[in-house]
Amino acid sequence: MPMITRDIALVAESLRSGGVAAIPTETVYGLAGNIYDAGAIAAIYRIKQRPSHNPLIVHLPNLAALDTVAKDIPALALALAERFWPGPLTLLLPKKDTVPDQITAGKPTVAVRVPNHPLTLQLLASLPFPLAAPSANPFGSISPTSAAHVAEYFGDDFAYILDGGECRKGIESTIIGFNGNQPVLYRWGSLAAEDIEAITGPLQHITHNEKAPEAPGMLLRHYAPDTQTILTSTVAETVAAYADRKIALLRFREPYRHSSVIYQEQLAPDGDLNTAAAALYAAMHRMDKAGADIIIAERMPDHGLGMAINDRLERATHA
Ligand code: TXA
Ligand code: MG
């Protein structure tokens, strides 16, 4: 198992010598490597069992580093970066020739963000290269929001997990691309679309397309527990329909009593969707271990971070 540590210098040394390390961000933990080290990047794809056509996000220490990897940056992209970085916003921008095709899976755009986590910002500032980092989970499974989640997923595949505690946001970054100067939402995430639209005006949306996913985070089945999972807006009816099974129940605010429900969690007793988003993946990890035959998840309100939560629940429940 990788060693869980808070020693930034140790992790930096490993990354400098071409190693891979798990790092904390405010959204989820990432599996990081030097974007210019072909061996490190190949190791990330191998360890994650990620298809090579699925590109990686480049993590920068600050906005000033942006033009080392991107060019022809739309004015609106810069405005968003200035407003939301460091933070859970990833921008798709025309890539500089110096960014290896291995990072972008041959695409002309590069995905970039400045993560908002004090340890990882220190780490990035201490390195002479940016870090590519997909979420630190095997392809298709639930993303990790703690060092322990990462440790459970991987054996001796890499040496260190930088322990930054539990992720404050708990859902991946929101991904925005540009059609000229028109912003396009590629992935719902921890930054609410309403907050982006307050600056940009209405966003266009990319809808899922399994054959040619523009952003493979859009794959229909993703973020999935091993236990069969279904999503519902009518908890009482759905629990009744599966009453012959052992049910684990995931709700927004309130418990629901039923003899077939052997385990349950509420994401946000306070009714705040930010609380629910931060709690989602840890709850899904626990639900998956509860010994239930089926997980029934309640659909969240359709606004703010409820959009990102429902997006993940839909992909978790897709057969
Ligand atoms: O919050 C996050 O974004 C986390 C933390 C670690 O930063 N990272 C993350 O990475 O979620 P990953 O690899 O699990 O998801 C990145 C998504 C993938 O769906 C990928 O296809 C998409 O970003 N992506 C990356 N580069 C792209 C590009 N040039 N064009 C379109 N989609 C891209
Ligand atoms: Mg991921």
Side-chain angles (χ1 to χ4, degrees):
M1 221 167 66
M3 179 183 155
I4 298 179
T5 177
R6 297 184 60 85
D7 188 339
I8 294 172
L10 192 65
V11 174
E13 183 46 43
S14 170
L15 290 164
R16 277 172 184 276
S17 58
V20 164
I23 58 167
T25 81
E26 79 281 34
T27 59
V28 300
Y29 276 70
L31 193 58
N34 174 359
I35 69 164
Y36 302 115
D37 187 312
I41 303 307
I44 291 174
Y45 279 97
R46 174 165 35 78
I47 294 167
K48 246 191 95 80
Q49 297 168 317
R50 181 180 182 118
S52 59
H53 58 74
N54 192 342
L56 307 179
I57 296 178
V58 171
H59 296 69
L60 302 172
N62 50 47
L63 176 55
L66 181 58
D67 41 73
T68 59
V69 293
K71 61 181 185 189
D72 306 332
I73 300 162
L76 211 44
L78 208 52
L80 289 175
E82 277 166 357
R83 172 69 183 77
F84 294 114
W85 284 355
L89 170 70
T90 293
L91 298 173
L92 300 178
L93 299 170
K95 85 176 194 72
K96 283 239 163 104
D97 291 344
T98 47
V99 176
D101 285 334
Q102 201 187 9
I103 299 293
T104 60
K107 287 179 192 290
T109 52
V110 60
V112 275
R113 79 179 192 103
V114 178
N116 192 9
H117 191 289
L119 290 189
T120 290
L121 285 173
Q122 273 184 59
L123 175 69
L124 284 164
S126 77
L127 293 169
F129 47 77
L131 292 173
S135 53
N137 52 280
F139 185 67
S141 54
I142 307 166
S143 302
T145 55
S146 69
H149 290 159
V150 181
E152 281 173 31
Y153 274 139
F154 300 101
D156 289 328
D157 296 314
F158 53 93
Y160 302 113
I161 301 172
L162 183 60
D163 185 4
E166 286 181 19
C167 301
R168 272 188 310 110
K169 296 286 183 187
I171 289 187
E172 290 83 351
S173 59
T174 303
I175 302 183
I176 300 290
F178 297 88
N179 199 344
N181 204 36
Q182 162 67 45
V184 181
L185 177 72
Y186 279 77
R187 178 174 74 180
W188 299 98
S190 275
L191 182 61
E194 291 91 331
D195 293 342
I196 297 171
E197 289 181 328
I199 291 182
T200 63
L203 292 168
Q204 278 177 14
H205 293 197
I206 291 277
T207 46
H208 8 210
N209 174 349
E210 208 161 19
K211 285 206 192 90
E214 284 282 351
M218 307 291 285
L219 285 174
L220 288 176
R221 181 169 176 80
H222 211 86
Y223 316 102
D226 293 330
T227 313
Q228 184 198 347
T229 302
I230 54 177
L231 182 59
T232 182
S233 305
T234 50
V235 167
E237 274 172 38
T238 308
V239 167
Y242 289 91
D244 59 333
R245 317 271 287 274
K246 284 186 281 180
I247 298 170
L249 180 63
L250 184 65
R251 292 203 74 195
F252 178 39
R253 301 185 72 149
E254 313 211 319
Y256 177 74
R257 306 285 169 214
H258 189 285
S259 57
S260 298
V261 174
I262 63 156
Y263 181 82
Q264 67 176 304
E265 297 210 22
Q266 299 80 45
L267 291 180
D270 64 1
D272 185 335
L273 285 165
N274 298 291
T275 310
L280 177 68
Y281 289 149
M284 283 169 67
H285 281 278
R286 289 189 297 266
M287 302 284 267
D288 208 12
K289 292 183 201 147
D293 302 320
I294 190 162
I295 296 171
I296 296 177
E298 178 181 38
R299 183 178 282 281
M300 302 289 134
D302 266 317
H303 59 84
L305 294 191
M307 299 300 287
I309 301 172
N310 288 336
D311 172 83
R312 299 308 190 270
L313 288 174
E314 273 163 20
R315 292 176 209 285
T317 58
H318 198 276

